[in-house]
């Protein structure tokens, strides 16, 4: 059955299994002290998609556990690889999920997985990512999100159960 005319609130009430294939968009690098590094996903996102997970890994550096004021990440939606000047004007990917650090919505350093079920209107943009390291020494990190598209149809049997 075609559900393209359903509102997103109604679609988000469907069981997880109706959303189909999921795929990760990952970022990993090693950045030096006081460096802001910018990245952009290789693929354009579906017009509407669902974020299922945000994951990350930041190791201790020389036995020092990273803190929010010296390492942070942020995700935004954009059309091109950002710069320091253009990143601030991009649309944040997470509203209310992340913290404001140095005037920017940012994830604190974490190792693990945050489980979400968040719909996002992308308008065909890509995920842009910024990592900032204010600690002494270089920092390794791996982070990303797991997404799926929003279903446009469901099996007829599902509506009659």
């Amino acid at each position: 059955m075609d559900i393209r005319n359903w509102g997103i609130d109604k679609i988000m009430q469907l069981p997880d299994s109706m959303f189909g294939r999921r795929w990760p968009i990952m970022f990993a690098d090693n950045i030096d002290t006081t460096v802001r590094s910018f990245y952009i996903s290789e693929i354009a996102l579906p017009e509407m998609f669902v974020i299922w997970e945000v994951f990350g890994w930041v190791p201790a550096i020389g036995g020092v556990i990273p803190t929010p004021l010296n390492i942070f990440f942020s995700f935004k939606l954009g059309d091109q690889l950002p710069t320091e000047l253009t990143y601030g004007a991009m649309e944040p990917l997470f509203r209310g999920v992340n913290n404001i650090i140095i005037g920017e919505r940012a994830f604190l350093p974490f190792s693990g997985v945050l489980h979400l079920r968040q719909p996002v209107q992308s308008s065909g943009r890509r995920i842009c990512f910024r990592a900032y390291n204010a600690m002494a020494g270089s920092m390794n990190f791996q982070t990303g999100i797991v997404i799926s598209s929003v279903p446009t149809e469901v099996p007829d049997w599902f509506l009659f159960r």
Side-chain angles (χ1 to χ4, degrees):
M1 173 178 197
D2 189 341
I3 62 169
R4 286 174 238 251
N5 294 329
W6 288 16
I8 192 62
D9 291 339
K10 188 172 181 181
I11 291 172
M12 292 307 293
Q13 293 176 17
L14 292 170
D16 291 0
S17 62
M18 296 291 162
F19 286 82
R21 179 178 158 290
R22 298 177 187 184
W23 64 93
I25 298 173
M26 299 173 59
F27 303 95
D29 205 352
N30 182 28
I31 60 175
D32 292 324
T33 303
T34 67
V35 170
R36 287 182 171 93
S37 294
F38 298 93
Y39 309 86
I40 189 167
S41 62
E42 293 180 7
I43 61 169
L45 299 163
E47 186 69 25
M48 183 70 125
F49 67 97
V50 177
I51 298 174
W52 295 96
E53 295 175 346
V54 178
F55 57 89
W57 175 78
V58 178
I61 300 171
V64 177
I65 296 172
T67 66
L69 295 178
N70 52 30
I71 293 176
F72 61 89
F73 304 134
S74 61
F75 296 88
K76 293 195 175 187
L77 294 172
D79 294 319
Q80 57 191 352
L81 181 64
T83 64
E84 194 67 43
L85 295 174
T86 61
Y87 194 74
M90 292 179 168
E91 180 183 344
L93 186 59
F94 301 101
R95 294 187 187 276
V97 174
N98 32 5
N99 301 288
I100 304 295
I101 300 173
I102 311 175
E104 185 68 51
R105 293 183 184 276
F107 276 95
L108 307 179
F110 71 98
S111 292
V113 177
L114 300 173
H115 299 282
L116 305 172
R117 197 174 202 259
Q118 176 179 326
V120 177
Q121 179 78 38
S122 76
S123 302
R125 293 173 289 179
R126 300 177 189 200
I127 294 181
C128 296
F129 174 74
R130 179 174 77 173
Y132 177 70
N133 176 17
M135 290 186 70
S138 63
M139 171 192 74
N140 290 310
F141 71 87
Q142 295 176 2
T143 191
I145 64 173
V146 176
I147 68 169
S148 75
S149 58
V150 173
T152 56
E153 56 184 48
V154 293
D156 289 336
W157 61 261
F158 176 73
L159 299 175
F160 300 107
R161 54 183 200 145

